Amino acid sequence: MLEQSCAPGGIYRSRKLEGYRVLSVWLVHGFFAAPLSIITGTLTRNSMTHWWVEIETDDPGVWFIAQLNPWGFDLYMYSSQWGVTKAGFDTCNREYDSNITTKYCGSPSGYTMGDVYDWMMNENGNYNLITNNCQHFGENFYHHF
C-alpha cells in the first residue's frame, strides 16, 4: 500500500530526498541461501534475497520504506531509520540480527516523496518471481533516482 501522505495534497509530498539505500537480506540463513542461490540464480537470475529501499528525507524524523512484495507495493513512513530496517526484515520474516547488504545508494538532487509516490504509481506493482520482483524494483529505483 502506498503512503497517502505522499499523494497529491499529502503532508509529506514535498519532503525532499536526502539519500537512499537499496538494501538486501538473505531470505533464509546464509549457510543455506548461498548454495540455494546458485540454483535460483540459474533459473530466475535472482539470488534468495529480499530487497527494499530505505529513504531518508530532509526531516530527521521522517523516513520511508519503498518495496515490492507478493502483495504489491509498500511505501510507508517511519520515524526512524531503525523502523525502516525492521520493516524490511519483517517483510521476509527474518531475525533483526541478519546481515544487511547495501546494493545501491544515492543522494538524488531535487526529488521529493511526491516524485517517489508518482513513480511508484506508474510502475508495475504486479509481483512476479522471475520478471518483476523486489530485486527488479530496487534496481529500477536506483536507475530512476
Side-chain angles (χ1 to χ4, degrees), residues 52-55 64-68 74-75 116 120 137 141:
W52 69 93
V53 182
E54 168 196 277
I55 303 170
F64 287 88
I65 186 170
Q67 63 183 345
L68 176 62
D74 285 338
L75 179 65
V116 172
M120 290 177 74
F137 175 79
F141 189 97

Side-chain angles (χ1 to χ4, degrees), residues 23-41 46-52 88-101 103 134-135:
L23 303 171
S24 75
V25 65
W26 291 109
L27 290 173
V28 294
H29 189 280
F31 178 79
F32 301 107
L36 288 172
S37 288
I38 295 170
I39 297 167
T40 61
N46 297 306
S47 60
M48 290 193 60
T49 54
H50 173 63
W51 292 24
W52 69 93
F89 280 112
D90 288 347
T91 299
C92 54
N93 297 314
R94 291 290 291 151
E95 295 296 321
Y96 305 135
D97 62 352
S98 301
N99 290 331
I100 297 176
T101 301
K103 295 295 188 176
C134 60
Q135 296 175 26

